[in-house]
Structure formats: C-alpha cells, structure tokens
Amino acid sequence: MDISNKKIYYSGVNALRLEWPADLSVRYGVLINFKEGEGNTNEVKYEVRVTRLRPGKTGEPLFQINRISDVFINEIPPDLIADKLAYALGKVFYPLVIAVDHNGGFQSIYNHDEILKRWQLVKKNVLDNFDGCLVENYVSRMEKQLSNLDQIQQAFLNDWLIQTFFKPLYKEYGQHRTAESVYKFPIAKDFHVEGYITEEKLSGQTNSFGAVELLHNGIIKPLEDELFIAHRHTGDYVGNYFLHPKNKRILSVVSDFSYRSQEESRVKIRITVIPEDGLEFDHDFELESNVKGLPVTEMVMIDGQSPRKGFWNRLLNK
C-alpha cells in the first residue's frame, strides 16, 4: 500500500505506546560498521527474526530473537579459527528470549534454562569439529560463564542489536514532544562514562513515507570524579527511529556513535525491516480510524501528493 501521499497528525497526548501483537514475527537486516582510530573499517552483517511473545509469568513483556542467517564479516563468513569458534559457540543463545520493561527497554535474559539445555549439543558439535587445547579451554570458559546468569546478562549489554533496538522508547513525550534520557551503548565501555545525555524528539506528524519518526541527539556524560579529566572522554550519538504508524514497532534504526578517549572510535548501525515475500514494507500502514481527539495510538490522515519512492530512498532522503 502506498501512503507516501498522506500525512498523519498526532492528537492530544504526545506519547508512544507499543501495540506489537503477540506472536507477530518480523524479519530485520542488521548492518554494523566499526572503525577504531585511523585503522581499517570492519562491517558485520546478519539477519534476525524478532517475535513478540505472550507476557511472562509475572506479566513482563517478552521478545524472542533468532538469527536466521550466517554472520558476515566484511562480506564473507568468519574465516579465522577464533571467529569460527566464537560463532559456533554463540549459537547456544538462539533463539534468545528477553524481558523488557513496559517502556520497551532491555531488562533480562528470560530463557536461561533453555540455553543451558542447548549447551550440551552445541558443545558436542564444537568439540567434534574443532581440535586443540585452545578449543578445550575456550569451551571450558564458556561453560562456566553460561552457568552464571549475571555474566550472560552483562555480556548482552555489549550486544549492539539489543542495546539499540530495545531502548525505552514507549513513553510520554510531553507538550513539546521531547524527553531526555542517559543511554549507554557498547562503544562507551570506560568506567568513567555514564552514557550519552540524549535529547529525544518525537515528530508531530508522520514523515514522507508514512512512518512515525523519533530523533535522538546525545553527547557523552562523564561520571563525576575528582581524578577524572573530562575532556579526555567525549563523543556524540545521533539516532533516527522510524516506527510503524499503527502499532509503533520499529521499521528501521539509523544510528551513528562516536567515542573519543586515547583515540576515536566510531560505530554506525543500520537495522531495517525485511518485508515478507510478496509484500511491501508498508502493506499494513492503513489506519482504521479518522476520528480526531483520540490518544496518540489513533491518528488522522490528511491527503497530499508526492511520487512513490523505494524504501531506502524514502528512508535516507527525507
């Protein structure tokens, strides 16, 4: 469906509420670009399927994440032994079920018991296909870490997909459609850095291709420490979230990060929906209500005219 010739204006309450139905599964492509100092750039690419599950035992929102493709590093599968080993062992985590808070922010790993059950088969496959003392030591360390849920959850604080996709986006943004939060991302690992002070700006109308747009602008916030020299740790963050106009699930994330200490690190991440076969990405954008004055989960469509463009053209050439 083409709604690129329509705009939707939010009514009274400036809020985002996630209405992703239980059991709805969405496929995403993930592209992450890393650059350290003046060194080479490395690119990681893979696909995942994200499914909204029914609430957990205590009512917590749950999502399942499953990798559905190989992981490509600079357009090829892992070729170094260490990379192959890490990739093979990492399969134990998927499908991964996580709990999020009611604003959509990552909280915890929910299916730790299932991960432990999968471990024996993954371990056997690795030992059957890799040889050497290094492999046995790696497997032994992995086994100890898996038994400790806190260590696993700490490890996923460094997972770019989870730490970008599952942020607390779903909340009220006030009269001026703005909010402010401090967000931590894997690029800033220094203990002296609290995160990025981030201004969050919710658009007042859908953009040119019919999506709700949320813009983040952040700068590094150092911890207060008398021995810490603030100017040595700087950086900025710009993130664009494009959301489905009806259920507010993520259609795409386009984010850039920088962090400067001894040298500069940069990360660019792109996460975008991959439509199911035969469907356009906006096939279900059509709204069921034209009633003004409803909460932000309902919207009014205003006709206009603009030529239809492809998804990436509409995304990157707003």
Side-chain angles (χ1 to χ4, degrees):
M1 173 196 171
D2 182 9
I3 68 165
S4 61
N5 64 334
K6 301 179 185 295
K7 287 186 179 180
I8 302 167
Y9 292 86
Y10 302 127
S11 56
V13 179
N14 291 310
L16 289 176
R17 294 182 178 88
L18 182 62
E19 297 180 3
W20 186 325
D23 302 322
L24 175 64
S25 178
V26 182
R27 181 181 168 199
Y28 292 95
V30 182
L31 181 68
I32 312 171
N33 187 285
F34 301 93
K35 185 172 183 179
E36 296 283 344
E38 299 301 320
N40 294 330
T41 296
N42 290 298
E43 179 185 270
V44 175
K45 181 167 64 176
Y46 58 92
E47 293 180 11
V48 295
R49 186 169 292 280
V50 179
T51 306
R52 175 74 182 267
L53 303 180
R54 298 186 184 279
K57 295 177 182 177
T58 59
E60 61 269 65
L62 299 179
F63 286 85
Q64 178 179 282
I65 304 163
N66 199 11
R67 283 187 180 169
I68 56 174
S69 75
D70 289 335
V71 174
F72 293 88
I73 302 174
N74 298 327
E75 298 294 343
I76 61 174
D79 57 347
L80 299 177
I81 294 298
D83 290 339
K84 289 181 178 180
L85 181 58
Y87 177 56
L89 289 171
K91 291 181 178 179
V92 71
F93 294 111
Y94 298 97
L96 178 70
V97 178
I98 65 169
V100 303
D101 62 29
H102 289 282
N103 300 118
F106 170 70
Q107 288 289 288
S108 61
I109 305 298
Y110 191 80
N111 63 334
H112 184 225
D113 290 343
E114 292 178 14
I115 292 169
L116 292 178
K117 290 177 183 177
R118 285 198 290 265
W119 169 244
Q120 294 306 318
L121 179 59
V122 171
K123 175 182 174 181
K124 181 179 184 303
N125 287 339
V126 167
L127 292 177
D128 286 346
N129 289 284
F130 294 86
D131 295 316
C133 294
L134 177 62
V135 174
E136 293 178 1
N137 290 337
Y138 202 126
V139 169
S140 177
R141 291 199 306 272
M142 182 82 166
E143 195 161 51
K144 290 178 181 177
Q145 291 175 343
L146 285 176
S147 65
N148 188 322
L149 179 57
D150 288 339
Q151 287 192 20
I152 296 177
Q153 295 191 157
Q154 188 67 31
F156 276 98
L157 294 179
N158 292 318
D159 183 284
W160 274 102
L161 171 65
I162 287 179
Q163 293 304 317
T164 306
F165 195 94
F166 294 100
K167 285 299 185 192
L169 311 178
Y170 303 100
K171 57 194 175 187
E172 292 188 5
Y173 286 86
Q175 180 180 359
H176 301 291
R177 298 189 297 273
T178 60
E180 185 176 281
S181 301
V182 178
Y183 287 143
K184 193 76 175 277
F185 294 100
I187 193 173
K189 300 177 182 178
D190 197 287
F191 290 113
H192 294 293
V193 173
E194 186 171 339
Y196 293 84
I197 307 172
T198 302
E199 180 189 45
E200 305 157 284
K201 178 70 173 178
L202 178 63
S203 61
Q205 62 188 46
T206 54
N207 66 10
S208 61
F209 60 87
V212 176
E213 190 168 353
L214 180 64
L215 176 63
H216 285 181
N217 277 286
I219 57 172
I220 283 290
K221 179 184 181 181
L223 289 174
E224 294 183 5
D225 186 336
E226 292 181 359
L227 300 178
F228 175 60
I229 303 175
H231 71 267
R232 290 185 179 173
H233 298 258
T234 60
D236 51 61
Y237 154 54
V238 176
N240 270 36
Y241 286 79
F242 302 91
L243 310 176
H244 193 288
K246 289 173 66 176
N247 57 40
K248 313 304 186 299
R249 62 177 170 79
I250 289 175
L251 296 170
S252 185
V253 183
V254 178
S255 294
D256 294 343
F257 307 84
S258 71
Y259 180 64
R260 293 174 287 276
S261 180
Q262 301 299 321
E263 61 180 9
E264 182 179 54
S265 299
R266 288 192 170 273
V267 174
K268 297 181 179 181
I269 183 164
R270 309 290 185 260
I271 304 169
T272 189
V273 66
I274 301 175
E276 300 299 331
D277 292 343
L279 296 175
E280 296 286 344
F281 80 93
D282 55 358
H283 71 96
D284 59 350
F285 275 24
E286 185 174 4
L287 302 176
E288 298 168 355
S289 171
N290 339 322
V291 181
K292 295 183 179 180
L294 295 176
V296 77
T297 50
E298 303 288 344
M299 290 171 279
V300 180
M301 299 181 68
I302 307 297
D303 288 332
Q305 292 295 329
S306 64
R308 180 172 178 80
K309 300 179 182 179
F311 174 60
W312 277 106
N313 283 336
R314 284 183 274 169
L315 175 64
L316 298 175
N317 298 290
K318 298 170 287 177

